[in-house]
Amino acid sequence: MKIVILGLYYRLPVFMQNLAVSLYGLMLYQQRYTGVYKRYRKKYARNSHEDLKREQKIQNKKFLRLLHYAAANSPFYREFYKDVPLDEIRTAADIGKLPILHKDMLRDNLDRIYTIPKRKSLIFYTGGTTGVPLEVRKRKADVRKRMAYLDAYKLSFGFENNKMKSARFFGKKIVADSPKKPVFWRTNYAGRQRLYSTYHLTEENLPYYVADLNRYKPAAIDGFVSAVYTVAKYMEDNGIKSAFTPKAVFTTSETVLPLHRETIERVFGCPLSDQYASNEGAPFIIQCRCGSYHEALDTGIFEHIPAEGGVKLLVTGFDTFGTPLIRYDIGDMIITTDKDRACACKSSHPVIAGISGRDTAFLITEKGRFSQVQLSVLVSSLSKTVSQMQFIQKKDGGIHVLCIGKEKNKENSSDKLLTALGQFFGTGTKITLEFTDSLYRLSSGKFQLIVKEEWMKEGKQRSYTQE
């Protein structure tokens, strides 16, 4: 049914597609921004989170409410906790007494985890990194509170969602694979959003994206950092000035690398603020105006588990009553910092150094493991030769490197790149280069610097399914 509807949508003229997108946006507005939304946005906007004891009291109260609700209403959790004395769990500090919920357990037991029927819930889908998106059920009030929290955070940068214009780069296929006209965006008039396709960001198409952004002049840009970076990098490389200064660029879903932040902030003349969450309902990690990543205690519990290559995150989300997530091993890694580090913004919420991405996102060579952050330093050092790169881990241990080049003489560029890559990864590492105008993305539109060969699949567009 969905394929049939999309087929009809793609055959419509652009102005009709804009109308369809706007009608869908109006439906989302009714679902997400009505009811308790306004009351909670005001409440969250007033809270500076300065009083740690108050924040911990809120966290304890919300945790116990979720825990006992899940144990009473979810057949899975009722059985999962049958040997756990729940009356001994009195604060968030006691959460370690509960078993860990792993991703395969969530996937295999979804029907028994749900606490509400489908007809009474709003449905969200995970990105489907395993190839099978999870269907998550949420109560309407929980969704509205969550959107209120997100919008209160954006308001701290001076941006008011639904009232100011925004440009959004995300993974929905709003434009056909081969459009008749070079119009790679659609407009949601109901939400004052212009939605830009992340699937058509090639060197050939980028001039159209840039020209339209400069015409539209959004008050904020949000979405995948890789897409915003691609646009910003093209503007900088071609001497194109931004005709507007956004309040901020808000990113999510992908790891923000130093080269992303430096380029985007330089080109658009505004701060880049990153935030972490998930469609499953992970609590928020939010980057404040001072640049610190704060774990929002009033949205959930974050546990740091030492693991190979870094620190793994376990999450408990306080707005997951429909599909409870308690001690959920979400598969993401973070970079920790001094436990008692204070931030100039005066928030008492714990500070971490950053989010490093999936626990599988490492490149293995004879010199050891390389993270996306380490590779970003390499890419930055080669910025005079290439605009973007992606590293594919081959099954035989070698590395296939995709490059979007700058120099017309590809042979000359290849020699430079192979020399630099050999020095970085070790001369014993088998390295192959491919110059291209497109890189691999997940079906959700997300981009990662590191891809494993076994994840890849070929089609009209380069894509992969991450394990």
Side-chain angles (χ1 to χ4, degrees):
M1 183 65 178
K2 185 177 179 180
I3 294 175
V4 172
I5 292 173
L6 280 175
L8 293 171
Y9 166 82
Y10 290 141
R11 286 198 288 271
L12 295 172
V14 171
F15 81 93
M16 289 294 289
Q17 289 183 1
N18 285 333
L19 179 59
V21 167
S22 298
L23 288 172
Y24 184 70
L26 186 60
M27 182 194 74
L28 291 181
Y29 182 90
Q30 292 298 320
Q31 289 179 347
R32 301 179 181 184
Y33 302 103
T34 57
V36 300
Y37 166 80
K38 289 185 179 179
R39 175 160 58 90
Y40 274 89
R41 199 194 71 167
K42 288 180 181 178
K43 176 182 176 181
Y44 293 143
R46 288 196 301 264
N47 192 355
S48 62
H49 312 294
E50 293 183 22
D51 187 339
L52 179 59
K53 289 185 178 180
R54 179 178 181 272
E55 296 299 301
Q56 289 173 332
K57 186 177 180 181
I58 292 171
Q59 185 185 51
N60 291 334
K61 184 178 179 180
K62 288 186 175 182
F63 167 54
L64 293 176
R65 185 187 301 148
L66 174 68
L67 174 64
H68 291 289
Y69 176 90
N73 294 278
S74 166
F76 171 82
Y77 279 103
R78 191 178 304 124
E79 182 180 343
F80 201 36
Y81 294 157
K82 65 182 179 181
D83 297 323
V84 180
L86 296 183
D87 58 334
E88 294 182 9
I89 299 177
R90 298 183 176 90
T91 70
D94 298 323
I95 196 170
K97 297 177 182 179
L98 299 172
I100 295 172
L101 177 68
H102 296 285
K103 188 158 286 193
D104 57 346
M105 296 168 66
L106 176 67
R107 185 183 305 110
D108 295 342
N109 294 279
L110 260 179
D111 286 339
R112 296 175 61 246
I113 289 175
Y114 296 140
T115 66
I116 54 176
K118 191 170 185 176
R119 68 180 184 278
K120 292 185 178 181
S121 64
L122 294 179
I123 303 298
F124 288 76
Y125 293 93
T126 64
T129 56
T130 59
V132 184
L134 300 179
E135 183 179 286
V136 178
R137 297 178 187 175
K138 295 187 180 184
R139 303 187 310 187
K140 290 181 181 180
D142 292 333
V143 171
R144 290 163 184 168
K145 290 176 186 178
R146 190 171 180 85
M147 299 312 297
Y149 201 94
L150 185 62
D151 287 352
Y153 143 68
K154 291 183 176 181
L155 194 59
S156 71
F157 286 83
F159 176 75
E160 191 163 5
N161 193 31
N162 291 313
K163 292 188 177 180
M164 295 179 175
K165 290 195 298 185
S166 68
R168 181 166 177 75
F169 288 82
F170 72 145
K172 301 291 185 185
K173 291 198 172 183
I174 52 171
V175 178
D177 289 341
S178 301
K180 295 179 180 179
K181 296 181 179 180
V183 181
F184 306 105
W185 50 87
R186 298 294 181 263
T187 303
N188 168 18
Y189 295 107
R192 304 206 71 189
Q193 285 181 322
R194 182 152 290 175
L195 308 172
Y196 290 87
S197 169
T198 58
Y199 297 98
H200 299 80
L201 284 166
T202 63
E203 287 290 310
E204 179 184 359
N205 296 335
L206 278 166
Y208 299 106
Y209 282 84
V210 173
D212 190 72
L213 268 175
N214 275 336
R215 281 193 299 268
Y216 188 60
K217 297 180 175 59
I221 301 174
D222 69 83
F224 297 151
V225 69
S226 62
V228 183
Y229 169 77
T230 298
V231 173
K233 186 66 176 166
Y234 178 85
M235 292 172 69
E236 187 169 65
D237 289 346
N238 291 276
I240 302 171
K241 299 293 184 182
S242 175
F244 62 100
T245 303
K247 302 286 186 182
V249 172
F250 299 107
T251 58
T252 189
S253 299
E254 296 177 337
T255 301
V256 175
L257 304 172
L259 65 94
H260 294 152
R261 184 180 303 281
E262 292 162 8
T263 303
I264 290 170
E265 291 188 343
R266 190 166 55 242
V267 169
F268 292 112
C270 68
L272 183 157
S273 181
D274 190 33
Q275 61 93 5
Y276 169 88
S278 74
N279 273 353
E280 295 105 310
F284 286 110
I285 298 176
I286 283 174
Q287 194 171 35
C288 70
R289 290 193 63 85
C290 298
S292 298
Y293 281 95
H294 291 274
E295 294 178 329
L297 299 182
D298 51 347
T299 68
I301 299 172
F302 303 85
E303 297 177 74
H304 301 170
I305 309 298
E308 185 181 4
V311 177
K312 183 178 286 190
L313 201 59
L314 298 186
V315 297
T316 298
F318 292 158
D319 62 4
T320 62
F321 282 82
T323 311
L325 295 183
I326 303 173
R327 299 205 80 200
Y328 178 49
D329 182 358
I330 197 166
D332 287 324
M333 308 283 282
I334 62 167
I335 307 167
T336 56
T337 187
D338 296 335
K339 187 175 180 182
D340 299 323
R341 177 184 159 191
C343 179
C345 76
K346 298 183 180 180
S347 171
S348 64
H349 288 175
V351 174
I352 62 171
I355 303 149
S356 57
R358 303 290 304 173
D359 54 8
T360 52
F362 289 91
L363 199 65
I364 312 297
T365 77
E366 64 168 16
K367 290 179 71 173
R369 294 159 60 93
F370 291 88
S371 69
Q372 294 194 87
V373 175
Q374 289 170 301
L375 292 177
S376 74
V377 176
L378 171 64
V379 176
S380 183
S381 71
L382 299 171
S383 61
K384 291 183 179 179
T385 306
V386 294
S387 294
Q388 292 189 66
M389 301 177 77
Q390 189 170 51
F391 301 86
I392 299 170
Q393 179 83 70
K394 303 283 285 182
K395 293 177 184 177
D396 62 7
I399 301 170
H400 185 71
V401 184
L402 297 177
C403 302
I404 296 178
K406 287 184 177 180
E407 298 181 0
K408 292 182 179 180
N409 188 336
K410 297 292 191 295
E411 186 175 340
N412 186 43
S413 297
S414 295
D415 292 339
K416 291 179 186 177
L417 291 171
L418 284 170
T419 298
L421 293 168
Q423 292 173 346
F424 191 83
F425 293 123
T427 53
T429 302
K430 182 181 177 182
I431 301 170
T432 56
L433 284 179
E434 178 187 348
F435 284 91
T436 179
D437 63 356
S438 65
L439 303 175
Y440 279 91
R441 290 182 181 272
L442 277 167
S443 57
S444 63
K446 295 179 184 178
F447 170 84
Q448 284 190 317
L449 205 54
I450 301 168
V451 177
K452 304 296 175 69
E453 184 181 27
E454 57 267 29
W455 299 345
M456 299 189 310
K457 57 184 179 180
E458 293 292 347
K460 290 184 179 180
Q461 297 162 327
R462 293 181 185 263
S463 63
Y464 67 97
T465 301
Q466 180 178 305
E467 298 298 334

